[in-house]
Amino acid sequence: MTVIYIDTLFLLNAIVDYLLLLASAKVAGEPLRRGRFALGAVFGGLYACALFLPGLGFLARPLCRVAAAVLMVLAAFWGTRRLLRQTLLFFCLSFALSGGIMAVSLLGRQGLSLEGGVIYSGMDLKIVLLSAAGCYAVLTLLFKKWARHTRAAGELLPVTLFLGDKSVSFLALLDTGATLSDPISGRPVLVAQRECAAPLLPDGLLPHCLDDPAGFLAGLDREDWRSRFRLLPYRAVGVEHSMLLALRVDGARVNGRDWGPSLVALSPGPVSDGGRYSALVGAE
């Protein structure tokens, strides 16, 4: 008869689930929202414990296990434009990590079992966690290389902005979910990090924090530059209505195509956690 300790069961599954969510984010280049990952991991740990409570055995059914995993992903990644891709990636990493931990435990002749679809082991918890950490590191490297956005795949596009006698070049991610456009002209708007526009402007003109674009415009005392900026309304998942600071540049070239005079919306935060690209451009 196998004796299962509920505290070990919860801790082991919560930590493994956290590593899976963290690995999924790193592989996909998503922002690392560790608090939300912890929330999803706690849910996973509680689900693992619930499987062994009297009257809750139905939770071990495949449909319930899939639903629990999806709820974990929603808790961790709700708001991302690539939620389906993130969910599939989480499942792939889950299968790979489970196999890796089991392989390490078998090599060490230690017992590790998947009871009702959750991880449990009577072996030393430190060994299990070290095995999980090692598998996490290896899988993150392997999957990150496989899922990386590349220029060869047409996902990363070279962009050059021109303003006066200055220019700046960087890479933008082709994002089918990026539909921001100029409400006046209807033309697409590039969404870029602050660092993309800073080289085009006088030193000290652009603040380091762009969380208050209206306040920036109200306090801008450079009349020669005021006409270059405007506020651009936008909506996103989790954001009902907000404003972005947009800069009008003299010209833009995206993947060799001349866009002419364009608006560049400046994101208040990084658009890529991995730093491989600095802007987002819509499919059009």
Side-chain angles (χ1 to χ4, degrees):
M1 178 179 179
T2 301
V3 178
I4 294 179
Y5 296 94
I6 200 74
D7 54 345
T8 302
L9 179 67
F10 171 80
L11 182 61
L12 178 58
N13 281 273
I15 292 176
V16 170
D17 289 338
Y18 180 85
L19 291 177
L20 285 170
L21 293 170
L22 182 62
S24 299
K26 286 190 173 184
V27 168
E30 290 287 333
L32 301 183
R33 302 183 177 93
R34 298 180 186 273
R36 293 180 61 175
F37 297 166
L39 177 63
V42 168
F43 175 80
L46 292 175
Y47 168 76
C49 296
L51 288 172
F52 297 93
L53 296 179
L56 297 180
F58 69 91
L59 292 177
R61 295 174 182 172
L63 187 59
C64 292
R65 290 201 291 257
V66 172
V70 170
L71 288 175
M72 284 176 52
V73 176
L74 291 177
F77 297 106
W78 180 257
T80 181
R81 295 187 181 95
R82 305 176 184 86
L83 187 57
L84 178 59
R85 179 175 182 263
Q86 202 67 49
T87 303
L88 294 175
L89 184 57
F90 175 78
F91 275 96
C92 289
L93 283 170
S94 298
F95 297 146
L97 185 61
S98 297
I101 295 175
M102 184 168 289
V104 172
S105 67
L106 290 176
L107 288 175
R109 296 183 180 180
Q110 301 286 344
L112 183 73
S113 60
L114 295 174
E115 299 287 346
V118 298
I119 298 175
Y120 187 76
S121 175
M123 60 194 260
D124 191 334
L125 184 60
K126 292 181 180 179
I127 297 177
V128 178
L129 294 182
L130 287 175
S131 300
C135 292
Y136 156 79
V138 172
L139 291 174
T140 298
L141 291 175
L142 293 177
F143 275 78
K144 195 168 187 177
K145 184 175 182 181
W146 165 72
R148 179 179 297 171
H149 298 295
T150 62
R151 293 182 64 174
E155 296 177 296
L156 296 183
L157 308 178
V159 175
T160 303
L161 303 179
F162 304 92
L163 201 162
D165 58 353
K166 297 181 179 180
S167 65
V168 62
S169 298
F170 48 87
L171 290 177
L173 174 67
L174 180 62
D175 185 359
T176 56
T179 58
L180 188 64
S181 61
D182 185 347
I184 298 177
S185 66
R187 298 186 60 188
V189 174
L190 189 77
V191 180
Q193 296 177 180
R194 174 194 177 279
E195 292 73 18
C196 297
L200 302 175
L201 304 172
D203 293 338
L205 179 67
L206 198 62
H208 288 282
C209 180
L210 297 175
D211 290 334
D212 184 18
F216 164 75
L217 279 182
L220 185 60
D221 56 3
R222 295 283 300 270
E223 294 295 336
D224 54 334
W225 285 98
R226 184 184 293 274
S227 61
R228 286 280 185 181
F229 293 98
R230 59 174 294 187
L231 296 177
L232 200 62
Y234 82 101
R235 291 183 179 180
V237 177
V239 180
E240 183 64 25
H241 182 76
S242 190
M243 292 285 182
L244 288 175
L245 182 67
L247 171 67
R248 180 173 56 84
V249 297
D250 295 333
R253 185 179 297 123
V254 180
N255 200 29
R257 179 183 175 187
D258 187 10
W259 278 26
S262 303
L263 277 178
V264 179
L266 304 181
S267 172
V271 299
S272 166
D273 179 71
R276 284 182 52 79
Y277 53 89
S278 304
L280 302 174
V281 59
E284 294 183 0

